[in-house]
Amino acid sequence: MASEKVIAQKQEIVANLKEKLTGSVAGVLVDYKGINVAEDTKLRKELREAGVDYTVVKNTLLKFAIDEVGFGALDAHLSGTTALAVSKEDPVIAAKILAKYAEDSKGQFSIKAGFLDGEVIDSDKVIAVGKLPSKEQLLVQLLSVLNGNIRGLAVALNAIAEKGQEEAPAVEA
C-alpha cells in the first residue's frame, strides 16, 4: 500500500496538471520515444522560448487530471511514453513546433492528440493547426492588406488633387 506521503505527492502532481490544462488555450500530447538527449534539450529550449510548458508525464496521473477537466476523450491516447505541451496564450505555437519536430523525426516522435479552446482534437487536426500562421503572422498579413488599401486611396486622392491643380485657370494680377 502506498504511503500517505506518496499519495499526497501524486495528488499534488494531478492538481498541477489540472491547473496547466485549465489555464491553457491549447495543448498537445506527444509520444517522445526514440528522442535522444541532445534533440530533447533542443526541443525543450525552443518550446520554452516560445512560452510553451513541456512536461513528461505519467499516463495514470494525467488520466486523473484530464478526467477532472472534461477531456476524457484523451484517455485513449494515454499509452506508451507521453509528454504534455501547453500554451497559455498562443493556440498555435505548441502544435506548430511539435508538428514540425514530428515531421523531421521520421516516426520516432509522434503527435498523439491535443486540445484547443476546450475541445479535444486528434493528431491530424493538431498537425493542421500547426500549419496555420501564428497570431503575429496573421496580424502582419491583416495590417499589410489594410495598409495597401489606405496607400491606394492616398495615391488616388493625390492624383485627383494634382489633376485639379493642372486644370485650374491661372489667376492674373
Side-chain angles (χ1 to χ4, degrees):
M1 174 116 182
S3 71
E4 289 181 30
K5 182 178 179 182
V6 172
I7 292 172
Q9 288 173 336
K10 289 182 179 183
Q11 287 173 337
E12 183 179 342
I13 292 169
V14 170
N16 288 339
L17 287 170
K18 181 181 171 187
E19 184 178 322
K20 283 182 186 183
L21 293 168
T22 56
S24 302
V25 294
V28 180
L29 290 179
V30 297
D31 184 346
Y32 63 90
K33 72 176 176 286
I35 187 172
N36 65 39
V37 174
E39 292 169 338
D40 185 56
T41 302
K42 181 181 173 190
L43 176 63
R44 285 176 183 267
K45 181 178 186 270
E46 185 177 356
L47 289 166
R48 186 174 45 255
E49 289 173 353
V52 176
D53 184 339
Y54 179 81
T55 311
V56 172
V57 293
K58 287 186 172 271
N59 291 325
T60 52
L61 299 178
L62 183 57
K63 181 184 179 344
F64 287 120
I66 64 176
D67 288 345
E68 285 186 34
V69 297
F71 291 161
L74 289 174
D75 284 355
H77 304 282
L78 297 180
S79 61
T81 57
T82 304
L84 172 67
V86 293
S87 175
K88 292 183 179 186
E89 296 175 9
D90 189 340
V92 175
I93 195 67
K96 182 177 288 297
I97 293 169
L98 293 170
K100 182 179 181 325
Y101 192 83
E103 184 179 320
D104 294 346
S105 74
K106 298 176 180 77
Q108 294 181 347
F109 181 95
S110 62
I111 305 233
K112 293 181 174 187
F115 64 91
L116 179 65
D117 290 330
E119 297 292 324
V120 173
I121 56 176
D122 63 16
S123 62
D124 292 336
K125 288 182 183 173
V126 172
I127 292 167
V129 167
K131 292 181 180 178
L132 292 173
S134 70
K135 183 178 177 181
E136 289 78 22
Q137 290 169 325
L138 288 172
L139 287 173
V140 167
Q141 290 174 0
L142 175 64
L143 291 175
S144 175
V145 168
L146 293 175
N147 194 23
N149 291 339
I150 292 170
R151 189 176 324 125
L153 177 63
V155 168
L157 291 173
N158 190 38
I160 291 169
E162 287 176 1
K163 186 175 182 181
Q165 287 177 351
E166 291 174 6
E167 293 177 0
V171 178
E172 293 182 26

